[in-house]
């Protein structure tokens, strides 16, 4: 678990818009930190004390960027174009179009077409939710882009499908409820039959095995890293759900790094650690040690270093 540990060497107070630490001060990990790393393969919750992961409280949610991209690919392939061989493009569409909703039921209602034969006004106009993603043709358009939904294009697409000529034909994917149902998997994995609790519940499960005296410090220093931290609305929704579950006397404070981005936050923490050669030597593992003891020796070094 060296990744979460490296994040503890970032300037945590600066992430929360507090006065940054003195650049000339010795390198030291954050005293208490609850790290949520939502990346490509999964999402992990790791409490850290003095930079050391509390192993018994580490929890994992099997929802990450890969699963969400695959789910979006499946939805759009069933409803519009077959995109099963366009993983890279689908990942770009996910990053450009998806957001975490504040009110799932309301947004779902706005994006609902209606019963058979019905076309509700909010569906026809987009309801402020629908967006069009113009696919690249790699001749005139080398990179796809997102734009506001244009209801008139629906008629053009029908003409193209019927083999009729239209002016300036474009391949367009219209995204409606896909925009928010895909990231919703982080909060409700049961939507696709994954028998795991949502991320807010996973956080509380992690805290439940720790002394309650640590809860205020951990909940007040929750840092979210990884590519999924960039999804619009993710931080606000997660904070609201944790606040609803946490004791009322605990302040819940979430933030994500902005400089550098949450994607490279772990690397930046490692770079900060490397500034202190004496501390780095305590944590370093030689090739001989690694071959003799294996990867677990790295975790042991980080856990037992006098930091």
């Amino acid at each position: 678990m060296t990744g979460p540990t490296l994040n503890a060497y970032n300037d945590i107070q600066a992430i929360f818009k507090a006065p940054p630490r003195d650049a000339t001060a010795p390198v030291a990990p954050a005293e208490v930190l609850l790290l949520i790393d939502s990346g490509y393969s999964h999402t992990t919750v790791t409490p850290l004390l003095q930079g050391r992961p509390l192993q018994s409280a580490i929890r994992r949610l099997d929802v990450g960027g890969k699963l969400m991209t695959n789910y979006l690919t499946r939805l759009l392939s069933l409803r519009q174009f077959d995109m099963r061989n366009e993983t890279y493009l689908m990942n770009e569409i996910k990053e450009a179009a998806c957001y975490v909703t504040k009110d799932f039921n309301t947004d779902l209602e706005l994006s609902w077409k209606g019963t058979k034969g019905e076309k509700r006004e909010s569906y026809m106009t987009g309801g402020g939710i629908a967006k069009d993603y113009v696919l690249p043709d790699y001749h005139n358009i080398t990179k796809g882009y997102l734009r506001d939904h244009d209801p008139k294009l629906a008629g053009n697409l029908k003409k193209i499908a019927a083999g009729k000529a239209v002016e300036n034909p474009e391949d367009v994917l219209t995204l409606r409820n896909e925009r928010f149902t895909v990231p919703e998997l982080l909060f409700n994995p049961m939507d696709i039959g994954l028998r795991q609790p949502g991320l807010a519940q996973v956080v509380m499960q992690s805290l439940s095995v720790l002394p309650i005296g640590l809860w205020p410090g951990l909940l007040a220093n929750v840092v979210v890293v990884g590519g999924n931290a960039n999804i619009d609305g993710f931080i606000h929704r997660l904070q609201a759900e944790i606040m609803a579950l946490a004791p009322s006397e605990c302040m819940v404070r979430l933030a994500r790094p902005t400089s550098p981005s949450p994607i490279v936050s772990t690397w930046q923490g490692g770079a900060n650690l490397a500034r202190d050669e004496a501390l780095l030597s305590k944590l370093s593992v030689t090739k001989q040690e690694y071959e003799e003891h294996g990867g677990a020796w790295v975790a042991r070094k980080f856990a037992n270093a006098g930091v």
Side-chain angles (χ1 to χ4, degrees), residues 56-73:
S56 63
I58 296 173
R59 295 294 182 270
R60 167 173 164 155
L61 173 64
D62 293 325
V63 177
K66 178 182 178 181
L67 177 65
M68 290 191 286
T69 299
N70 290 343
Y71 185 49
L72 179 61
T73 302

Side-chain angles (χ1 to χ4, degrees), residues 37 41-46 57-63 196-199 202-203 205-206:
D37 187 349
S41 299
H42 50 76
T43 300
T44 56
V45 177
T46 307
I58 296 173
R59 295 294 182 270
R60 167 173 164 155
L61 173 64
D62 293 325
V63 177
Q196 291 187 353
L199 184 52
V202 171
V203 170
Q205 284 183 2
S206 173

Side-chain angles (χ1 to χ4, degrees), residues 20 28 31 78 118 165 210 229 251 260 271 298 306:
E31 183 176 346
L78 286 171
E118 181 184 2
L210 297 174
M251 178 181 70
V298 179

